[in-house]
Amino acid sequence: KEVDSKFWATYDKVSTEYDSDFLERANSDMSIILTFAGLFSAVNSTFIVGMQPNPGETTNVLILHLIQMTANGTNTVNDISGLSSSTPYSSSTVWMQTLAYASLSFSVLAAFGAVLGKQW
């Protein structure tokens, strides 16, 4: 009976040390992942914003048409069929934006997983 109690006391001590070390390493790893995912998301968001079309171009064309209408009188009809409701993108631009949004999604998902891991 004395041997059993010694065995379980030693087992408890060793397992507690192992578990504490494991949890400390896992918590440290989650902190690193969370920091990296946050920084990567910020940089990626900056690139996504930079890839967006310039809305000022459409505004400038519309203001030019308003000035022409004002100068020519209200009875003249201006042709605004040249204005498109959407900007045509090349396939490479679509692929780049798709990859940027996918990487942002995975980065946010990694940060979410790290937060869940730290709180568990």
Side-chain angles (χ1 to χ4, degrees), residues 52-67 80 82-89:
Q52 299 303 314
N54 185 6
E57 294 173 10
T58 305
T59 304
N60 291 339
V61 171
L62 289 173
I63 289 175
L64 179 64
H65 281 289
L66 287 174
I67 291 171
I80 59 170
L83 292 175
S84 64
S85 60
S86 65
T87 307
Y89 294 112

Side-chain angles (χ1 to χ4, degrees), residues 2 5 15 19 21 30 34 41 49 52 57 63 81 98 105 117:
E2 180 69 28
S5 122
S15 65
D19 289 344
D21 183 47
M30 291 298 159
L34 189 58
S41 296
V49 168
Q52 299 303 314
E57 294 173 10
I63 289 175
S81 62
T98 302
S105 299

Side-chain angles (χ1 to χ4, degrees), residues 27-42:
N27 194 17
S28 174
D29 289 348
M30 291 298 159
S31 295
I32 292 170
I33 289 171
L34 189 58
T35 302
F36 175 74
L39 290 173
F40 183 78
S41 296

